[in-house]
Amino acid sequence: AIAYLWLGDHSSCARAASDAMQHFVPGRTAWYVALGHIASAVGASGDAPRLETALELLRTHQPAPKARDARAIASCRVAVTLTRLGRGAEAQTLLDSVNAEGHGELDDLVLAWAAVVRSTRAAQIGDSSAYLTHVERAVEYFTVKGDVRNACHQRLNLGDALMQLGAYGRAEHTLREVIAV
């Protein structure tokens, strides 16, 4: 599922993640990872019925104690998709639940995904400076966690934000860093 997502084959990603979920115990880390990939795939492909299923699964399954971060990340992935579909209030509710469950102490990977949600929201409302700020945070948190793929993806978004703001030199430098990695 992960490979299909990165290759841009969203229907195969959703299918593989859905198949994987059948082999995992609901509420456990791997199950939430698969659910998060379904959310990302349907967000890219516009498969609204599958998104509703993902939302329902998030609502009806409680995480195992060691799966709280995985659930938070899946919630953020669903929130990104909801934001892109113009369902910002629902996305904000999910993000608020992530923050509430973390009790102020969230893992850097969860903070990275929360920043992605916020940057997506900022992009939707046309707030370029907030978009830039949140993308920079996402890059930082993904980098700290050693998530090279997502750090590079967010650096690409950072380069785009810099170009939108007219900071072409910084944008070029940032995009060359992405290529180098």
Side-chain angles (χ1 to χ4, degrees), residues 24-53:
F24 299 130
V25 176
R28 299 281 176 94
T29 298
W31 187 83
Y32 280 116
V33 170
L35 181 62
H37 280 78
I38 289 172
S40 292
V42 302
S45 68
D47 186 351
R50 245 193 189 146
L51 177 63
E52 296 309 320
T53 301

Side-chain angles (χ1 to χ4, degrees), residues 15-165:
R15 190 171 38 260
S18 182
D19 290 346
M21 285 180 72
Q22 304 307 311
H23 299 284
F24 299 130
V25 176
R28 299 281 176 94
T29 298
W31 187 83
Y32 280 116
V33 170
L35 181 62
H37 280 78
I38 289 172
S40 292
V42 302
S45 68
D47 186 351
R50 245 193 189 146
L51 177 63
E52 296 309 320
T53 301
L55 265 170
E56 186 60 28
L57 290 170
L58 275 175
R59 289 183 186 123
T60 58
H61 289 85
Q62 291 302 311
K66 292 183 180 180
R68 292 192 189 284
D69 288 346
R71 182 180 195 275
I73 292 166
S75 295
C76 287
R77 286 177 174 263
V78 170
V80 166
T81 298
L82 287 168
T83 301
R84 289 179 178 155
L85 294 173
R87 295 167 63 180
E90 289 174 88
Q92 187 61 51
T93 298
L94 274 177
L95 187 57
D96 290 345
S97 73
V98 166
N99 290 328
E101 288 177 21
H103 305 291
E105 293 192 24
L106 297 173
D107 181 79
D108 287 337
L109 198 53
V110 175
L111 291 170
W113 278 103
V116 171
V117 175
R118 290 183 185 99
S119 70
T120 303
R121 175 76 174 141
Q124 288 286 31
I125 62 172
D127 187 342
S128 296
S129 105
Y131 176 65
L132 178 67
T133 298
H134 295 303
V135 170
E136 285 176 325
R137 286 186 184 136
V139 168
E140 178 183 334
Y141 288 124
F142 281 127
T143 301
V144 165
K145 287 305 279 191
D147 187 336
V148 176
R149 287 180 297 190
N150 280 311
C152 280
H153 182 80
Q154 294 306 314
R155 273 194 186 95
L156 177 65
N157 290 337
L158 178 59
D160 178 56
L162 290 166
M163 284 192 303
Q164 288 180 34
L165 294 172

